[in-house]
Amino acid sequence: MVETSDIRVVRCGGSKVNLTPPIISSDSRFVLCTSGDLVKVYSTRTEEWLHSLQGHTNQVTGITLNPANHLQVYSCSVDGTVKLWDFIDGILIKVQLVEVHETVEIFLSSGLCVSACPECFQLVSVHLPKSAEQEVEAKEMSAVSSHISKNPSCTAFGRGGEYIAFARHLQLNVYFFRKQKTYSFSLKATDKKGAKNAFTCIACHPTDDCIATGHEDGKIRLWRNFIHKKEYTYSTQHWHHNAVNTLCFTPEGTHLLSGGIESVLVQWQYGADNRKEFLPRLGGSILHISASSDGQLFCTSHSDNKITVIESSFKVCGVIQGLVKDAVLTDLMIDPRSKALVLNGKPGHLQFYSLLRDKHLYNLDIVQQEYIYEAGLDQFEVVKAAFDIKGSWLATVEERGKKSSDLEFFLKLWAFDERTQSFVLNTTITAAHTDRIISMCFSSSEETTMLVTAAEDSQFKAWCQGADADTQQDQNFWSCDFVGSYHKLNPTNCSFSADSSLLAVSFQEVITIWSPDTWEMLTTLCQPPGVIRDLCFGRLSCSKYLLGTTTKNLLCCWNLLTCELEWSTSVDVSKLQPDPFSENVAAFSYQSKHTDLFVFKPSEPRPLFTNKNVCSEKVHRAVFVPREEPLNSCDESTQWLNRSQLYFLTQNMDLLTFSTATEEDRMLSSSKQLVIDDSVAVTPFYLLLGKHRQQQQKLNTQSHPVSDKPQQTQGSVTIKELLHTPAHVLPAASVLCSMFVNSFLISNTGVQQDPLSWLT
Amino acid sequence: MGEFKVHRVRFFDYMPSGIRALAFNQDTERMAVARMDGSVEVFHCSDRFFQEKIIPGREQCGIEGLSWVGERLFSAGLNGGITEYDLTNQKVKYTIDAYGGPIWTITGNQQGTHLAVGCEDGTVKLFEVNEDQIQFERNLDRQKSRIISLSWHPSGSKIAAGMMDMIQVFNVETGHSIHRMLADRGAGTSRSKECVVWSVVYLSDGTIITGDSVGMVKLWDDQTGTLIKSHNVTKCDVLALSVSQNEDSLVAGTSEGIVVQFQFVSMVLEKDDKEWVRTRTFRNHTHDIRAVAEITTAVVSGGMDAQLVVRPLLDKIEVRSAASALRKIHFPHRRLVSCARKSGLMLFQYPGHLELWRLGESEGKGTPGSSLFVKRNPEKLLQLKVKGEDHIRCSAVSPCGGWIVYSTASTLRLYRLHCDNNNISITKISKLPKVLSSANQLCFSSDSSHLFSASAQSSVHIASLSQSGCKFVGTLKPKSGSHQAIHLLAASEDGKWLASANSDHEVHIYNLQTQKAHCTVPVYSSAVTAMGIHPATNCLFMMHADQQMFEYSIEQKQYTDWSRTVQRKGLHRFWVERDTPCLNVMFNPQNPSHVILHDMYMLCIIDQSLPLPDDKTQFYNQLTLKSLTEEQRKSQSHAFKVCKTFKDRPLHLYVCGLSEEVCFIKRLQIVPC
């Protein structure tokens, strides 16, 4: 078997940014949020992704600013480490190995870290050792309580870390660290008026001893005097009609912010409880709220994978949109022009998402109808989409009607308009078929574009662009060219060969091969039992092969020259994905509750690469994303990742990908470089220059996140020159300044125009 | 349970009047309540809020304020007079005019030396409280607008007064104003309206708390005369404020019917910098709350919806029990209905008039549970308006239906009723004996030949009734004990015994033949709420406010064996936890072992021949018993048979025993105007 150790599954790009509360740096310039295995740093002003803190090997589950140094951030991950970063430069400062199995959430206060491990959900206080080494093991741990909720919002530090408040179900507990004593308070599950009192979130006032708790029925309670068993007291406020998802006090404690499914940010004045302000229509339901330390900015993260930056005057000033993965019905696709990932986004839209820059590009409104946010309504949704090979045509199918009796669907064809740089509706076909469209593909030849749709009415249709005879206009509309069927069987899939000379349409167990030029059925292939599920032609040197998977766990490979079965193997393939840039085909198989990946060439039945247990859920959607610059790995097992990267979507809507060791080394080396730079002795002059350099660096990273290295060296030459000159022979500061500024100027030659820049 | 013919009486539409003021006396644990009709009631807070004393009101006597000075109770009203009450005899002691126009508020200082009243003409008048009367001392500086609310500083040296648009602080020594603090008017259209400072509270640390018509509770500093903090409690008026004894909790009643609690809580735990923080909200009222009082363990509130709500503060209660449950008192703990058992007449007592009704008649006997055909509808025979301004204190109709008697604070009137079929005539008995000038409680003997009238000094006057008139026979006086007014009288069926209960919980039994005191029942700690003498055994059956029951054999002068058994075994938890007192004790003439009791929500028949339930047995077992066979039923049944619903409707009732009929008197829903 091939070694798999240097390829691992990572969450990199398109991950959830709404998993944990975002944090705003103390100067309000940066927003930090967790995103898969990374911590991402965004600018609050431009909403741009600046850089990411890379180093965790599993999902990052919590971040918090270092209370001792506001330029540092702690992060914790499921991999069991707590890391300390300099988030402005993106440098890893310290790693703490925590001896619990998986840290799930981190809360920090005055050098004390509290984390929870998932099996038993314990609240553990971990003493972070003070040591100069970069990697230390935290051994000093004490369990606080096992009575905590799985929801991290239900735990919060109180006034300067004196105590921690945590709740589970109907019980609120307050643990005082100094006294090592827990006070608990219980509520009744319901009362006569039908209140649902379960706790959903907690926030503690920064200066007063007041705990705010949110409840399932939308009530907010403010608890006081909680060191008394009986004389504790609380006041109740009610505005939310559904569960309060999150609560947050402003740093001065003058206001309390709350949010829930209503997607309205509510600001309560602390002490004058019936004075409140609202910021409605923020999008998805609010999951987290955080405030900057000067109280000037608030951040809300939403269920539609979005972070909204809000000024304290209750004005939205920025939106950081992640990849929306609420209800993915289409396949994962790559827009050939922008190389962006395309899938369902907002309801009725297709979203274009750049995985390279991990940035949401734009939404394309397909349905062009107002979406009504109400449960139980049957509304149009985009269910299928396909690009042609050049990216100049986009075909979409939108559908309404869960039951086939009242099924309603449209086939739409969109042309790419060079002038507006977007897709424009060209043709709408109202009754393309009499029943639901199962599969759809464009021919892959460059000259003629042809669309084939296969539907449950046991027909497949070929659509061609032809001049409309009646209108005599230049614009060409799409019309039906050919209708094909085979023994009244329902088609299951269709696929064009790489040179578009052949079309394969599978009808239940039978694969029919057609010539698109003459519309003649060339041959039929059959390998019973089992209905054909997936169908794909080989590429490049393997284009004579046709691959098919059946529902009876068979993967077959036919040689089209001989029309014979080349090889077949018994494997339950849930998704077959050919790489458009190589011969490789990736197959995901689901067996005994985990998914395995096989990468193989159709010409040989031996896999190039296998990865057992990629994830625990079934994989139905995957895509090869072309790399911007190919890797030059010679290792056989990683070669298949040289030209493109494989992304796949699990049933939990996690977008995962594979990363190779070389790739990671490259990333790490760039950050190591910075660490060495940092080890220069700290002198006042260094501080002055260091500041300049940071600004410069930020400039670079903002505009060109990828190609920042050449300028780095150029800048450092000047700095070195300055550093090595003795202070007493240095020229006047004004002279120095212009030289310094000049060193920042970027020569035109080194920079390529970003191909995607028109999108931003 | 026995079979009864049930009359559903739905024509007694008594409407309790709204509560205007509350005053709590910490030492005696008594709560005084003033109602809109001018009546004053005294509730005993530690005896399950039993309504011990009722002083009926007068026409045109709106009480605006109540104040205790020691154990003396004063009230002041819009008629401009200050009234002191004689609580022993439950009547007005005297009224003096303050000569300042309508009085809006009255309050006594903690030292018990002075009363301050706020008048319409803008003066705060100080009255010295003397041994027997109060005496005007002086005016404080006169202000331009009326004084709505007053509060003494606990030291007695300063007074804060709430007025229109402002609050004034007076030095009591000099009588001059120290500070003048302006209350903000509301925003928008209400800016043109004056801000009325409805209530003010002066704390010992110098904080003045006000509640005003803008809906704000404001905290002021009396050193600087500045606003410290304001809480917007409601959109409408904050009408009443009350602070707890140790000044760590404050309640505010609003015209939305909400009581809001504020607590003096340290913002940082275990530190002393405390702040007033709004905490709990109580929604028990449907209409404006005119008065609140925070007592040690509960918040008491009353308002236009006429109910007195006692909301316990669970953090102040050591043990949760029936005595500390939420309590709503709607109706007086007195019987307002008396009935002539032999002739089927009912007398309803309203504050200003009496109504006499004849019950309907039906044909034949029906099966249990069926409704009978009504042969004759109930009929209103008489409406008797009271002469004078005083309201009725007590009334009675004789068992034969031939006599009606009522008493106000000043007069007692006796009428002879002639009733031949449809002709009703009434004649007033003109020459009454002088001793029968006023009565606290009235009662006829069972053969209607004598009238018993409880009067001052716990004495009972006996008058014999005949065709010719009324003749004084004698006075029954207790051998010893207190002189508190009698609130219950019970005469025995054979005319031999009379029992009286007074508000000091004493029960005296008199022999009517010798007209001497026979004996005194041992004094129990809780007030007697109802009593009756058994017709066959001549045992006195007494119900107390804490739901305990005693049976006392008059002839043997000792508790009966059954009563001792009850006391030894204890009563069922559910019985003790009921929150309204029993108002009537009756006996079933067909079955001497049946005692019929009722309170506001239920009717209970106690079968003394059956075993008593203990805490493990099912208390409300009527439905279970129905499903069992005859034999099983015997083993399952216990002495208490409780009926809470009639024809699937909750009972809301006074029950009167007729010969073999029971009247459920259903009341109309209380809707204040």
Side-chain angles (χ1 to χ4, degrees):
Chain A
M1 283 305 281
V2 195
E3 261 190 30
T4 58
S5 58
D6 52 351
I7 294 186
R8 44 181 206 92
V9 179
V10 291
R11 287 163 196 81
C12 188
S15 312
K16 279 182 187 161
V17 293
N18 59 2
L19 189 74
T20 57
I23 53 177
I24 307 173
S25 66
S26 54
D27 54 0
S28 299
R29 287 198 302 164
F30 306 109
V31 178
L32 283 82
C33 64
T34 63
S35 168
D37 299 355
L38 311 174
V39 178
K40 285 194 171 176
V41 184
Y42 289 92
S43 159
T44 51
R45 254 168 259 157
T46 61
E47 310 148 33
E48 284 290 321
W49 173 36
L50 300 181
H51 55 257
S52 48
L53 311 178
Q54 198 171 28
H56 281 292
T57 53
N58 209 329
Q59 178 76 48
V60 180
T61 49
I63 44 172
T64 180
L65 285 178
N66 185 357
N69 183 349
H70 60 83
L71 297 175
Q72 294 176 346
V73 67
Y74 277 101
S75 68
C76 73
S77 157
V78 185
D79 63 8
T81 58
V82 174
K83 292 186 175 175
L84 181 64
W85 310 83
D86 181 329
F87 63 85
I88 294 178
D89 294 337
I91 303 165
L92 176 65
I93 297 171
K94 214 175 203 180
V95 181
Q96 261 109 15
L97 301 169
V98 178
E99 278 284 295
V100 287
H101 303 284
E102 290 172 22
T103 54
V104 159
E105 184 63 20
I106 179 170
F107 313 96
L108 259 185
S109 179
S110 58
L112 192 90
C113 149
V114 178
S115 60
C117 65
E119 286 104 43
C120 42
F121 272 97
Q122 256 193 333
L123 196 61
V124 182
S125 103
V126 180
H127 195 79
L128 296 179
K130 285 200 176 74
S131 106
E133 290 165 56
Q134 224 205 355
E135 193 159 315
V136 284
E137 204 163 316
K139 283 182 181 146
E140 220 176 299
M141 274 191 292
S142 56
V144 173
S145 171
S146 57
H147 206 85
I148 63 155
S149 160
K150 287 185 182 184
N151 181 358
S153 312
C154 283
T155 311
F157 268 109
R159 181 171 55 86
E162 294 258 312
Y163 55 89
I164 186 164
F166 48 98
R168 191 172 78 176
H169 196 50
L170 288 165
Q171 198 178 18
L172 170 72
N173 299 291
V174 185
Y175 177 80
F176 285 84
F177 289 107
R178 204 166 294 161
K179 285 188 275 184
Q180 302 213 326
K181 199 170 168 198
T182 310
Y183 296 90
S184 5
F185 311 98
S186 294
L187 291 173
K188 273 188 217 143
T190 52
D191 64 6
K192 273 177 250 161
K193 290 165 191 153
K196 286 182 278 180
N197 285 332
F199 288 91
T200 53
C201 53
I202 286 186
C204 295
H205 194 276
T207 54
D208 289 352
D209 280 324
C210 170
I211 299 175
T213 59
H215 297 265
E216 217 163 71
D217 56 353
K219 285 202 183 96
I220 294 172
R221 288 190 168 89
L222 292 174
W223 300 72
R224 286 191 181 84
N225 250 5
F226 39 79
I227 51 167
H228 300 283
K229 265 262 152 312
K230 275 175 69 176
E231 279 164 19
Y232 71 90
T233 177
Y234 60 77
S235 55
T236 312
Q237 289 145 26
H238 204 166
W239 182 85
H240 295 277
H241 68 69
N242 226 318
V244 185
N245 280 341
T246 177
L247 287 170
C248 174
F249 274 105
T250 54
E252 297 295 320
T254 50
H255 292 96
L256 173 68
L257 300 161
S258 69
I261 198 160
E262 304 89 357
S263 74
V264 179
L265 182 66
V266 186
Q267 179 174 271
W268 309 77
Q269 197 176 334
Y270 177 71
D273 307 326
N274 37 17
R275 236 175 272 164
K276 42 187 180 283
E277 279 182 66
F278 305 101
L279 181 63
R281 292 181 286 278
L282 287 174
S285 63
I286 297 175
L287 299 181
H288 308 285
I289 302 173
S290 51
S292 69
S293 56
D294 58 357
Q296 289 305 305
L297 285 180
F298 307 132
C299 260
T300 54
S301 55
H302 300 264
S303 59
D304 54 354
N305 208 10
K306 184 172 83 174
I307 295 173
T308 312
V309 184
I310 295 160
E311 280 173 16
S312 57
S313 57
F314 260 45
K315 216 176 75 189
V316 175
C317 65
V319 175
I320 297 163
Q321 176 74 58
L323 183 66
V324 186
K325 292 174 293 189
D326 287 339
V328 179
L329 300 167
T330 62
D331 272 334
L332 303 183
M333 285 161 298
I334 295 296
D335 176 20
R337 278 174 190 271
S338 61
K339 304 284 183 288
L341 178 71
V342 180
L343 69 160
N344 287 101
K346 266 163 58 174
H349 288 63
L350 280 182
Q351 64 178 330
F352 286 67
Y353 191 87
S354 166
L355 282 171
L356 289 169
R357 297 191 297 151
D358 208 354
K359 185 171 163 48
H360 181 87
L361 300 180
Y362 65 100
N363 279 315
L364 179 65
D365 191 354
I366 302 294
V367 171
Q368 301 185 333
Q369 278 178 14
E370 187 69 30
Y371 186 82
I372 302 156
Y373 285 89
E374 194 184 314
L377 284 185
D378 193 10
Q379 300 185 68
F380 275 109
E381 251 320 325
V382 185
V383 291
K384 292 267 183 302
F387 283 98
D388 80 331
I389 192 110
K390 286 181 291 187
S392 51
W393 289 100
L394 165 69
T396 58
V397 177
E398 64 209 59
E399 202 175 278
R400 180 169 79 170
K402 299 274 181 309
K403 290 161 272 163
S404 59
S405 57
D406 50 356
L407 180 76
E408 212 179 326
F409 64 93
F410 295 112
L411 174 67
K412 282 182 179 169
L413 285 137
W414 306 75
F416 189 77
D417 187 356
E418 292 285 349
R419 199 169 49 79
T420 58
Q421 292 286 316
S422 69
F423 285 95
V424 177
L425 184 62
N426 179 277
T427 313
T428 305
I429 301 159
T430 45
H433 285 269
T434 52
D435 211 340
R436 181 179 278 123
I437 292 176
I438 296 276
S439 176
M440 180 165 75
C441 63
F442 271 102
S443 72
S444 32
S445 73
E446 300 263 333
E447 302 87 54
T448 55
T449 34
M450 180 190 288
L451 176 72
V452 170
T453 55
E456 276 179 348
D457 58 356
S458 64
Q459 281 178 338
F460 74 91
K461 286 185 181 175
W463 306 85
C464 268
Q465 203 186 355
D468 198 326
D470 299 334
T471 51
Q472 296 288 324
Q473 277 176 349
D474 294 344
Q475 218 170 355
N476 290 333
F477 296 101
W478 288 74
S479 54
C480 186
D481 187 43
F482 176 73
V483 181
S485 65
Y486 182 77
H487 289 286
K488 294 279 174 222
L489 287 173
N490 265 350
T492 55
N493 217 326
C494 59
S495 176
F496 271 102
S497 68
D499 57 354
S500 295
S501 61
L502 292 176
L503 168 69
V505 183
S506 60
F507 291 92
Q508 304 296 339
E509 290 112 348
V510 186
I511 300 171
T512 56
I513 309 288
W514 304 73
S515 155
D517 298 328
T518 57
W519 290 119
E520 181 185 4
M521 191 166 80
L522 301 174
T523 181
T524 58
L525 304 167
C526 186
Q527 189 66 32
V531 177
I532 301 290
R533 196 193 275 156
D534 256 338
L535 204 59
C536 75
F537 282 92
R539 305 266 159 182
L540 306 175
S541 65
C542 299
S543 53
K544 61 180 175 184
Y545 297 105
L546 173 65
L547 291 164
T549 61
T550 69
T551 52
K552 292 278 189 232
N553 304 345
L554 210 59
L555 172 63
C556 310
C557 177
W558 287 274
N559 189 332
L560 291 172
L561 298 178
T562 58
C563 293
E564 272 173 0
L565 189 68
E566 187 90 357
W567 52 267
S568 73
T569 171
S570 176
V571 56
D572 178 17
V573 176
S574 60
K575 176 69 189 170
L576 199 63
Q577 184 66 36
D579 183 0
F581 304 98
S582 66
E583 298 96 340
N584 302 329
V585 177
F588 289 92
S589 93
Y590 185 73
Q591 260 174 345
S592 56
K593 295 199 174 160
H594 58 82
T595 295
D596 302 329
L597 168 72
F598 302 97
V599 181
F600 57 92
K601 284 185 180 162
S603 54
E604 43 194 320
R606 190 182 66 90
L608 283 171
F609 170 79
T610 47
N611 194 341
K612 296 272 181 199
N613 200 358
V614 172
C615 61
S616 54
E617 300 103 21
K618 238 178 180 172
V619 172
H620 281 296
R621 287 179 177 84
V623 71
F624 276 98
V625 181
R627 282 186 195 277
E628 215 165 42
E629 43 183 320
L631 294 179
N632 39 12
S633 162
C634 316
D635 191 358
E636 197 191 355
S637 66
T638 56
Q639 226 167 9
W640 64 278
L641 285 171
N642 272 357
R643 301 206 52 192
S644 47
Q645 213 172 350
L646 178 63
Y647 279 86
F648 60 96
L649 194 66
T650 66
Q651 275 176 333
N652 276 3
M653 297 297 164
D654 282 329
L655 191 68
L656 304 174
T657 185
F658 294 92
S659 112
T660 62
T662 47
E663 208 177 341
E664 274 164 32
D665 284 347
R666 200 178 69 181
M667 297 274 197
L668 269 180
S669 63
S670 64
S671 60
K672 280 257 171 63
Q673 172 87 40
L674 294 170
V675 177
I676 292 160
D677 275 2
D678 244 31
S679 63
V680 177
V682 181
T683 59
F685 186 65
Y686 165 77
L687 285 178
L688 171 82
L689 286 174
K691 215 194 244 168
H692 279 297
R693 206 197 46 196
Q694 276 171 17
Q695 280 173 0
Q696 171 213 20
Q697 207 176 316
K698 213 177 84 240
L699 250 159
N700 293 339
T701 40
Q702 266 178 13
S703 53
H704 309 285
V706 189
S707 54
D708 58 346
K709 265 173 280 173
Q711 288 122 41
Q712 179 64 49
T713 52
Q714 204 177 16
S716 60
V717 166
T718 323
I719 291 160
K720 269 187 192 133
E721 209 169 282
L722 282 169
L723 275 174
H724 291 297
T725 318
H728 60 278
V729 296
L730 270 177
S734 55
V735 182
L736 207 67
C737 181
S738 62
M739 184 178 84
F740 203 74
V741 171
N742 272 330
S743 74
F744 294 153
L745 291 175
I746 302 152
S747 55
N748 250 340
T749 50
V751 191
Q752 279 286 315
Q753 187 59 41
D754 195 333
L756 298 180
S757 59
W758 57 268
L759 284 173
T760 59
Chain B
M1 196 156 168
E3 280 177 24
F4 299 98
K5 201 188 271 179
V6 177
H7 292 271
R8 302 173 75 185
V9 177
R10 301 191 222 184
F11 36 83
F12 181 40
D13 44 0
Y14 174 83
M15 178 115 68
S17 106
I19 292 171
R20 180 62 193 87
L22 292 173
F24 177 60
N25 191 331
Q26 186 78 36
D27 304 326
T28 57
E29 295 200 301
R30 298 298 201 279
M31 176 68 76
V33 176
R35 292 191 184 262
M36 307 295 270
D37 65 354
S39 64
V40 172
E41 295 158 7
V42 178
F43 290 82
H44 192 176
C45 299
S46 55
D47 191 14
R48 302 236 184 159
F49 272 84
F50 180 65
Q51 191 179 32
E52 273 187 336
K53 289 165 188 170
I54 301 176
I55 300 160
R58 292 157 58 91
E59 292 294 319
Q60 309 296 325
C61 147
I63 295 180
E64 284 291 318
L66 270 180
S67 180
W68 290 93
V69 176
E71 292 190 16
R72 295 162 74 179
L73 182 66
F74 294 90
S75 80
L78 295 179
N79 56 2
I82 302 171
T83 305
E84 186 180 350
Y85 294 94
D86 176 0
L87 292 174
T88 313
N89 293 314
Q90 303 185 10
K91 62 180 191 189
V92 172
K93 201 167 169 187
Y94 59 85
T95 301
I96 61 166
D97 202 320
Y99 299 108
I103 299 173
W104 288 95
T105 175
I106 180 168
T107 172
N109 61 358
Q110 273 192 2
Q111 291 71 27
T113 57
H114 286 87
L115 275 173
V117 294
C119 304
E120 174 76 20
D121 66 351
T123 53
V124 177
K125 292 176 191 288
L126 291 187
F127 284 81
E128 197 184 349
V129 181
N130 294 331
E131 198 97 323
D132 50 345
Q133 261 219 342
I134 55 169
Q135 197 175 14
F136 175 71
E137 200 177 86
R138 63 206 161 90
N139 284 335
L140 302 184
D141 283 358
R142 185 167 170 173
Q143 302 300 316
K144 278 193 181 120
S145 68
R146 65 171 74 115
I147 310 287
I148 301 289
S149 51
L150 282 175
S151 177
W152 289 83
H153 187 267
S155 70
S157 61
K158 283 178 273 187
I159 288 186
M163 296 187 286
M164 312 304 278
D165 281 334
M166 66 168 118
I167 301 117
Q168 292 268 14
V169 184
F170 296 98
N171 187 333
V172 177
E173 288 285 302
T174 62
H176 297 313
S177 162
I178 311 170
H179 286 296
R180 183 164 156 273
M181 299 172 288
L182 293 180
D184 280 343
R185 292 183 179 188
T189 49
S190 53
R191 182 145 282 281
S192 54
K193 273 193 222 158
E194 280 179 313
C195 170
V196 186
V197 180
W198 284 118
S199 184
V200 61
V201 165
Y202 208 147
L203 302 184
S204 52
D205 65 356
T207 310
I208 298 168
I209 304 174
T210 60
D212 56 34
S213 62
V214 182
M216 307 290 270
V217 170
K218 287 183 171 164
L219 289 93
W220 309 82
D221 183 11
D222 76 332
Q223 289 293 319
T224 55
T226 50
L227 181 70
I228 306 170
K229 198 162 186 195
S230 66
H231 292 272
N232 190 3
V233 170
T234 171
K235 290 196 180 84
C236 36
D237 301 25
V238 176
L239 292 174
L241 289 176
S242 168
V243 74
S244 68
Q245 190 71 18
N246 51 2
E247 297 190 349
D248 66 348
S249 168
L250 173 92
V251 285
T254 71
S255 55
E256 278 174 324
I258 300 171
V259 177
V260 179
Q261 192 191 10
F262 292 86
Q263 278 175 291
F264 200 45
V265 173
S266 53
M267 297 314 278
V268 175
L269 291 172
E270 292 163 340
K271 295 240 172 84
D272 271 345
D273 54 333
K274 292 190 169 183
E275 271 182 48
W276 285 98
V277 172
R278 179 182 168 166
T279 52
R280 275 168 282 200
T281 308
F282 308 124
R283 294 162 206 272
N284 298 108
H285 288 274
T286 55
H287 289 70
D288 305 35
I289 294 173
R290 298 301 299 269
V292 286
E294 178 152 0
I295 65 174
T296 340
T297 56
V299 174
V300 183
S301 55
M304 299 301 285
D305 55 1
Q307 53 176 341
L308 188 72
V309 176
V310 184
R311 166 77 202 224
L313 294 172
L314 294 178
D315 52 334
K316 302 278 172 61
I317 292 164
E318 295 299 320
V319 192
R320 289 185 73 169
S321 67
S324 65
L326 175 70
R327 207 175 280 276
K328 290 185 180 182
I329 299 163
H330 299 266
F331 296 110
H333 294 160
R334 294 283 163 92
R335 268 187 291 160
L336 299 176
V337 180
S338 52
C339 60
R341 283 192 280 168
K342 285 156 191 159
S343 54
L345 298 177
M346 300 195 95
L347 184 72
F348 301 138
Q349 177 188 327
Y350 295 89
H353 66 274
L354 294 169
E355 275 181 19
L356 188 71
W357 287 71
R358 187 191 298 147
L359 291 171
E361 274 178 38
S362 60
E363 270 178 339
K365 276 191 122 184
T367 52
S370 65
S371 35
L372 297 170
F373 175 73
V374 179
K375 197 169 73 184
R376 196 181 64 191
N377 280 327
E379 194 182 358
K380 183 173 172 181
L381 301 179
L382 194 69
Q383 176 159 343
L384 200 59
K385 263 207 83 183
V386 174
K387 281 270 161 64
E389 287 186 329
D390 289 339
H391 288 164
I392 299 171
R393 176 183 283 169
C394 54
S395 63
V397 61
S398 68
C400 65
W403 301 89
I404 292 176
V405 64
Y406 77 85
S407 167
T408 66
S410 52
T411 57
L412 185 142
R413 275 163 203 264
L414 181 67
Y415 295 91
R416 183 94 179 97
L417 192 71
H418 305 280
C419 185
D420 14 306
N421 276 336
N422 290 329
N423 287 334
I424 288 130
S425 61
I426 185 165
T427 43
K428 188 187 159 198
I429 309 297
S430 50
K431 281 182 188 163
L432 285 179
K434 266 205 179 128
V435 288
L436 294 184
S437 63
S438 167
N440 285 323
Q441 184 60 270
L442 290 162
C443 172
F444 286 96
S445 66
S446 62
D447 57 356
S448 307
S449 64
H450 288 86
L451 170 68
F452 307 111
S453 152
S455 79
Q457 310 282 311
S458 265
S459 61
V460 181
H461 302 297
I462 309 170
S464 73
L465 306 170
S466 60
Q467 288 298 332
S468 54
C470 174
K471 220 163 77 187
F472 176 66
V473 177
T475 302
L476 303 170
K477 278 190 180 158
K479 276 183 195 155
S480 59
S482 75
H483 301 302
Q484 291 282 346
I486 289 167
H487 69 277
L488 283 173
L489 282 175
S492 72
E493 192 73 21
D494 56 6
K496 210 174 160 193
W497 308 103
L498 179 76
S500 75
N502 67 16
S503 29
D504 262 352
H505 314 173
E506 289 173 349
V507 178
H508 299 287
I509 298 167
Y510 302 96
N511 188 330
L512 290 176
Q513 281 158 348
T514 60
Q515 298 195 4
K516 288 260 164 64
H518 176 68
C519 63
T520 304
V521 178
V523 177
Y524 183 65
S525 60
S526 179
V528 182
T529 64
M531 61 182 185
I533 299 174
H534 198 284
T537 59
N538 270 349
C539 289
L540 179 67
F541 197 95
M542 289 165 289
M543 286 304 304
H544 290 270
D546 61 354
Q547 311 295 356
Q548 294 294 328
M549 53 184 73
F550 292 95
E551 196 185 29
Y552 187 82
S553 166
I554 294 175
E555 273 141 19
Q556 291 163 15
K557 298 191 187 178
Q558 62 179 15
Y559 287 119
T560 60
D561 289 342
W562 185 83
S563 175
R564 286 171 202 276
T565 320
V566 169
Q567 288 308 307
R568 201 172 53 244
K569 288 191 76 173
L571 289 159
H572 195 276
R573 193 163 50 87
F574 285 179
W575 176 265
V576 180
E577 281 174 6
R578 290 177 313 114
D579 68 340
T580 54
C582 279
L583 293 180
N584 207 350
V585 174
M586 292 166 290
F587 304 93
N588 187 353
Q590 290 144 356
N591 190 340
S593 64
H594 282 184
V595 181
I596 305 169
L597 305 171
H598 83 84
D599 68 11
M600 208 66 77
Y601 302 107
M602 60 116 221
L603 173 77
C604 175
I605 296 178
I606 297 175
D607 193 335
Q608 288 175 315
S609 61
L610 287 174
L612 288 165
D614 57 18
D615 264 357
K616 280 171 216 145
T617 48
Q618 187 189 8
F619 188 68
Y620 300 113
N621 60 353
Q622 300 300 312
L623 277 175
T624 327
L625 289 183
K626 245 181 203 172
S627 62
L628 297 176
T629 59
E630 200 70 32
E631 274 111 71
Q632 284 173 313
R633 209 177 288 180
K634 262 181 196 151
S635 64
Q636 286 279 317
S637 55
H638 58 73
F640 289 80
K641 298 168 189 311
V642 179
C643 167
K644 279 191 158 179
T645 54
F646 178 72
K647 300 249 175 203
D648 298 330
R649 300 244 177 106
L651 293 176
H652 207 73
L653 74 180
Y654 275 131
V655 181
C656 295
L658 297 167
S659 47
E660 56 219 38
E661 296 162 26
V662 169
C663 301
F664 286 156
I665 299 176
K666 179 159 171 55
R667 301 222 224 189
L668 297 178
Q669 204 63 42
I670 312 154
V671 185
C673 36

